[in-house]
Amino acid sequence: MVQERNKGAEKRERILQSAIKVFARKGFYNTRVSEIARTAGVADGTIYLYFKNKDDILISLFNDRIGKLNDEMERQLAALDSPSEKVKRIVSIQLGLLRGHKDLAEVITINLRQSNRFLKQYAAPGFNRYLDIIAAVIQEGQQSGDFRQDVSPRVAACSLFGALDGLSLTWVLGTRDADRLARAGQQVSHIFIEGLRAPETTGT
Amino acid sequence: MVQERNKGAEKRERILQSAIKVFARKGFYNTRVSEIARTAGVADGTIYLYFKNKDDILISLFNDRIGKLNDEMERQLAALDSPSEKVKRIVSIQLGLLRGHKDLAEVITINLRQSNRFLKQYAAPGFNRYLDIIAAVIQEGQQSGDFRQDVSPRVAACSLFGALDGLSLTWVLGTRDADRLARAGQQVSHIFIEGLRAPETTGT
DNA sequence: GCCGACTGAATCGGTGTTCATTTACAGCGC
DNA sequence: GCGCTGTAAATGAACACCGATTCAGTCGGC
């Protein structure tokens, strides 16, 4: 019974893993269900015991993984104090995805944007939570006096996310040199931390 | 003869316009060629007199429009002197796309990323030129002493592009309030200009 | 009446999904 | 142990649909 449930979960996971791998290489619409099945070592029909349809694979994939990423992000940020350190950590986690989970990062960076409707309907909640986590860090920095107040935390969050996404995109399309990516991360952290820093209240 | 060529170009343009409109609403893969044809007021077959196939529509679309955007960007930047002003202009042009060419901006922001292969093969040249233009501005700022030297112009360019892309994405998915977008633009300019500013060489 | 542009219904290949059948296996009586 | 059996999981060939593309025919200007 319990073992069966485990086995079921394990198979579902194997299908998701395979989907990530194939989507990353071919893109969602150029991937056939039969190829995911083959990669996962199951029959075509088996996919439909675990997912409602092909769309559901992408949606489950995203929700599952972005949820874990958000949890991990919150956990790590909670252990840090300074807003600047937190910004650095956000940068390293988002770019770190490309190291540790290259295929997943590619799917999120490239293939997730399929259509307006898809994004709005399915990806928005997880994406918004991600942005909220970043925005909370910015706001915290503003309250502590580290960051300037005349920037909307939400705008800063979208920008930071976007900047990292842009770097990921060009990295995926280009050299894929890990060191280079790490250096880029430091520079982006720098730009944002300096760009957000509250002006020194000299005199008056 | 000439008129025919004009008429031909005009029809091609009408098809592109229609494609932009429909792609923006439904996404590339959920758009059927017959719908582009209907929107353009031509027969299905006519599309194939002007484009090799459906992919070719998206590719032509992107190359044509990104080319014009790059040209316009270069033209406007050439008329400005200070690197900070140039950064502000880059921001306002990229976000301005959403005002003036909402559908096009949506297609570029959301639907262009279809697959790794597609991006690498067809979109990369135009995209790289865009990044090069931004990177040149950063580099110029570094040479004039306005911007710090320890940030790679390319990294800064990817980040700035990405930040604006991220804002566009959330704006498209969310409120779509023009004023809010304009304010966001000012804030991003601010973050990047301050974040890139060379430290004052106090003393020593 | 010739030529090129245009039309749009028919074609045809491809693929997501289904479902009749098979397999795996746990429980059970002997 | 050992067959028996009921059930759930898995299979994969067949189906049904769909939409990109084609092309034989029409149109319109010269």
Side-chain angles (χ1 to χ4, degrees), chain B residues 69-80 89:
Chain B
L69 180 63
N70 281 334
D71 293 346
E72 175 68 12
M73 184 79 92
E74 278 183 333
R75 204 183 57 73
Q76 288 200 31
L77 291 178
L80 296 173
R89 184 60 61 93

Side-chain angles (χ1 to χ4, degrees), chain A residues 31-33 44-45 48 53-54:
Chain A
T31 293
R32 40 242 85 240
V33 173
D44 294 10
Y48 291 87
N53 51 38
K54 190 184 172 190

Side-chain angles (χ1 to χ4, degrees), chain B residues 44-69:
Chain B
D44 295 8
T46 306
I47 302 268
Y48 292 87
L49 299 175
Y50 293 90
F51 300 93
K52 195 153 55 70
N53 51 38
K54 191 184 170 189
D55 282 6
D56 189 38
I57 301 175
L58 185 59
I59 295 164
S60 303
L61 181 50
F62 177 72
N63 285 335
D64 183 274
R65 297 304 202 262
I66 200 75
K68 282 183 188 162
L69 180 63

Side-chain angles (χ1 to χ4, degrees), chain B residues 80-99:
Chain B
L80 296 173
D81 280 328
S82 114
S84 306
E85 285 307 313
K86 290 188 179 186
V87 168
K88 284 183 192 165
R89 184 60 61 93
I90 290 167
V91 170
S92 79
I93 289 177
Q94 191 173 326
L95 294 183
L97 254 191
L98 282 174
R99 272 179 187 277

Side-chain angles (χ1 to χ4, degrees), chain A residues 69-79 93 129 133:
Chain A
L69 180 64
N70 282 334
D71 293 346
E72 176 68 12
M73 184 80 92
E74 278 183 333
R75 203 183 58 73
Q76 289 200 30
L77 291 178
I93 290 176
R129 185 174 156 221
I133 293 172

